[in-house]
Amino acid sequence: MLPETLTVALKEWAVVQRSLLEGHQLMLLRKGGIIEETGDFDLKATEFLIYPNYAHETERLGDLQPCFGQWLREEEARRPPAGFVRIEAAAQVTDVVRVDHRETIVKMSPQHIWSRQFIDGRYDWEPYKPIFLLLLRAYALPEPRVLPILPSYGGCRSWIEIVEPISTVGAAPAVSDEHFERRRELTRGLLED
């Protein structure tokens, strides 16, 4: 269960947020932001808002499985005006698993939207750093909040602190409890193989 308000937010592509909210995927991959304090990913919170990100948008189409290209175009069309961000989702992490072999993520392709190009890129960039898979429950906020983008929200970092607390009261889970537990068990099984 989410707290009634949140200020901590994790940056993620808007198209991945959509995949989470539509229940297509229950996972995120993390290695670290370029300007994180340690350079490595750190799970600063297990409950957080999702801060939709449009960075590197010209590169992203190749980073998605082809069948999700339309989602990318639709999310680009929904993008708020310059200088604003629309917060519409929160998440709760249930599991954090280090994934040392890229083929593990590749074989899970029906459960996420990333292409082989994206997966290879994550593993090839600073290959000495581990990759973590976060299993999480996504929640749609009852009302999206459009906020001005402050300078403190910028930069290539994973975590930011939203100045104004955002209510999660009435947030709806993307998938039912039963569906989530079935998918979670399936995913954990694939990760252990």
Side-chain angles (χ1 to χ4, degrees):
M1 189 157 189
L2 294 170
E4 290 187 3
T5 63
L6 287 168
T7 56
V8 175
L10 179 67
K11 288 185 176 181
E12 185 53 73
W13 286 348
V15 69
V16 172
Q17 174 185 260
R18 177 176 178 168
S19 185
L20 292 167
L21 286 175
E22 293 203 11
H24 177 74
Q25 74 185 60
L26 308 177
M27 66 183 76
L28 297 177
L29 293 180
R30 281 293 182 271
K31 190 175 227 177
I34 294 170
I35 58 174
E36 302 289 358
E37 290 93 24
T38 65
D40 297 321
F41 180 72
D42 180 23
L43 187 63
K44 293 189 184 286
T46 56
E47 292 138 344
F48 48 84
L49 300 163
I50 298 177
Y51 185 99
N53 189 347
Y54 299 87
H56 312 297
E57 62 195 53
T58 57
E59 305 159 17
R60 289 188 303 170
L61 191 56
D63 286 341
L64 301 178
Q65 294 176 45
C67 57
F68 296 104
Q70 184 61 32
W71 279 11
L72 177 62
R73 288 184 284 279
E74 290 170 4
E75 289 308 302
E76 290 290 336
R78 290 183 64 237
R79 187 176 184 167
F84 291 89
V85 63
R86 181 186 306 108
I87 306 291
E88 56 190 325
Q92 181 177 46
V93 175
T94 61
D95 302 84
V96 178
V97 181
R98 181 176 165 156
V99 185
D100 292 324
H101 305 289
R102 68 184 75 199
E103 293 306 320
T104 301
I105 305 298
V106 171
K107 75 179 176 185
M108 298 169 73
S109 289
Q111 294 192 54
H112 60 72
I113 66 173
W114 303 300
S115 68
R116 177 68 192 237
Q117 171 183 300
F118 173 81
I119 295 165
D120 286 343
R122 296 310 302 155
Y123 278 88
D124 293 343
W125 174 69
E126 297 186 337
Y128 53 90
K129 290 186 178 180
I131 289 188
F132 295 95
L133 183 142
L134 309 181
L135 279 174
L136 51 82
R137 293 214 57 186
Y139 295 83
L141 298 179
E143 294 292 326
R145 293 281 306 276
V146 178
L147 308 172
I149 297 174
L150 302 179
S152 61
Y153 302 165
C156 191
R157 68 184 87 230
S158 299
W159 298 102
I160 59 170
E161 189 77 23
I162 302 291
V163 171
E164 182 182 331
I166 294 182
S167 174
T168 63
V169 175
V175 297
S176 70
D177 293 347
E178 180 183 321
H179 182 86
F180 178 78
E181 285 306 323
R182 272 198 325 266
R183 292 272 307 277
R184 180 178 176 227
E185 285 179 31
L186 171 68
T187 303
R188 291 293 313 217
L190 290 169
L191 289 169
E192 291 166 7
D193 281 349

